[in-house]
Every structure is written in C-alpha cells, then in structure tokens.
Amino acid sequence: MKRIIILGCTGSIGRSTLDIIRSEPGYKVAGLTAHTSSKALYALGREFPDAALLLSGDDEKLLLEMIRQTDADIVVNGITGAAGLLPSVAALESGKDLALANKETMVLAGPLVNRIATLNGKRILPVDSEHSALFMLLAGRDPETVEELILTASGGAFRDLPADRLSLVTKEEALKHPNWSMGPKITIDSATMANKGLEVIEACRLFDLPQERIKVLIHPQSYVHSLIRTTDQALYAQLSLPDMKLPIRNALTWPDMRPEPSCRLELAGKALTFTEPDPLKYPMLPLARKAMALGGTGPVVYNAANEVAVDSFIKGHIRFTDIARIVSERLYKCRPSSCDTLEEVLATDGTCRTETLETIRRLS
Ligand code: MG
C-alpha cells in the first residue's frame, strides 16, 4: 500500500491524482492540502476519513509541519508557482519521495533540491509530462550516449495568431488552451511559452545537462511529449494522449508499471508536425535561456517576474505582450548572485516580486 500526500489536491494535478487513487488498488491517501478551496477539501475529507487535512491559506509553516508530521511514502506536489519550493524540501527532508509537478522547485533551487534528495536517499520523480517522458526515455541509458533532449510545446492559445496581433489579445483568449486542460497560470504560461522556458531550466536541473543541449519544438498535436537524440543520431520519442494521468501514474508506480488500457493512443490517420518556435513571437523562451546563462539567481528572477506579470495580466492591469517586456527588464537589471541556500533563493524571489510590482505600477 503506497501512502500518498497530495499538495494542491483541488487543483488540476490533485484531481487527476485522486482519480487514479479512486480507480486503482494499492494506494492510500495519507494527507490532503488545499490553498483556499475549503468546500472541495472538506468534501474530500469525508471521502478519505483517514487522511490528514489542511487548508493552508497563507500559513506556510503549518503546511510544512503537516508534510513533516504525516506518515507517507510519496508526496505529490501540485502547488502552483514558487510557493511549491519549501513543501518539496519538507517532503524530501522528512524521508518521502517527491512526485514533482511543481516545476518551480527545480527552477528556483534545482542543485540544492537535488542535494537534499541525495542526502536523504529519496527520489525526485518528474510529473511534468515532458520531463516524465524524458525520465522514461533516459532510464537505464548511459548519459554519455545522449546528445540532446527535445521538449515539445503545443504553442499555446495563440499558436496560429501573427505576432503583431498579440498585444491586443484578452485574458479570456489566453486561457483557451488548444490541447491541455490546466490551471490559469500555466495556461497563460503556455500562451507566452514561459512554461517551456521554465521547463528548459527544469530539464537542465533534473537531468544535469547544459541548456544548449535542450531543444524545443512546437508540436501542435501534443502526442509526442519529448524526444532524446543519441550520439548515433537516432531519435527516441515518447507518445501518448495528452492526459496528465500517465505521468502521475508513472511517478506513483516507478519503477513498476501498471497496465492502463483506457488511455490508448492510436496513430493511424494522425499527422505529427514539428516546427521551430519563433523567438520574436515567443520571447519568454530566449529569456529563459538568458536567465540560465546569467546563472545563480537568474532563473529565480525570471520566475518571480513572470509570476507577478502573469497575475497582473489576469487581473487586467497589463497587456499580454507586457509580460515578456517586464521579465526582460527585470533580467537585464538584475545582478545575479549565488543561490546556494534556500534563504538566498527566497530573498531574491521576494525582492524581485517587489521590484516587478513597481515596474508594473509605472506601466499602468
Ligand atoms: Mg509540461
């Protein structure tokens, strides 16, 4: 029986995880946390009466305490944004494996979190679909034989819109993702491709490769989730329906695999296409590479500025194209410092949020 804590249990990842637990044997819900969705959380409390429940609100201390105190084998981290970092650390430090859907954990503090996992003898199992695919493709392979990783991207809500029309798009239009059903922040990040920028950084940290060896291709059909190129120039791809249940299940069962007939992808009659992303249309992608090149706290700045800018866009304070302008300004002004401790990471995150809000106030 695998005991599972789900952080962000009322969000998209949390709900998919619960669907798996309800329909398959061998799992026990040990703990459930939600940020503000009290009604949904209490309903789940009635359904899983043995689980520890926490409505965390903004009380991070309580959340970390709950993760540490609850007996479990694995923590599914489905929290959105930088708020997911310390819960990831608490999970690993209290001897639990980490099924990681919160990409910010690796973006903000990848090297540090990897060290914490190693020190505690615990595993980080990627739940991001691209990274789950890469994890499966790389398993058991000699790293020396891998030339590059290729992440695919859907291109988001404005894939077919000319770049010069982007400044006029609305929040409602940006929230219409063509292939995946996800939370609002990540859907906007898909439209700007900041999501892919974060994923390039995440892949560098998960698989210990420099960003030059991580490529991105737009693949509108979202059947190929990632590819690897080996040094003999063979390409290996992972294909499946765009459904988060597969990467979640892979993380929960690893190193085992369970038969799952219901999400079978048939390829007959399907066309698969790939194009290079246009850096002028998707500036958040080259900006992520710039953040990695800056090193140190560069990725922390990229993420914090983006989170604040996306929040302002959702609230109607700025235009869609302002998101990249704001992140670019913050990156060009930042002096990256080292980030060897969680304190340094969190301090940079906080400062950058304040500065980004000031930039936005000037703009609007
Ligand atoms: Mg992804």
Side-chain angles (χ1 to χ4, degrees), residues 201 290-292 294-303 331 334 336-337 339 348:
I201 303 172
K290 156 113 184 140
M292 272 303 273
L294 283 172
T297 46
V300 182
V301 171
Y302 175 84
N303 180 70
L331 274 180
C334 91
S337 56
C339 62
T348 304

Side-chain angles (χ1 to χ4, degrees), residues 103 128-130 195-196 199:
K103 61 194 78 189
D128 211 345
S129 61
E130 297 79 359
N195 183 51
K196 214 49 55 177
E199 288 182 357

Side-chain angles (χ1 to χ4, degrees), residues 101 103 127-132 151-152 180 182 186 190 195-196 199 202 225 244:
K103 61 194 78 189
V127 171
D128 211 345
S129 61
E130 297 79 359
H131 305 73
S132 170
L151 302 172
T152 57
W180 294 91
M182 304 177 292
I186 190 171
S190 291
N195 183 51
K196 214 49 55 177
E199 288 182 357
E202 182 187 11
H225 299 298
M244 286 309 294

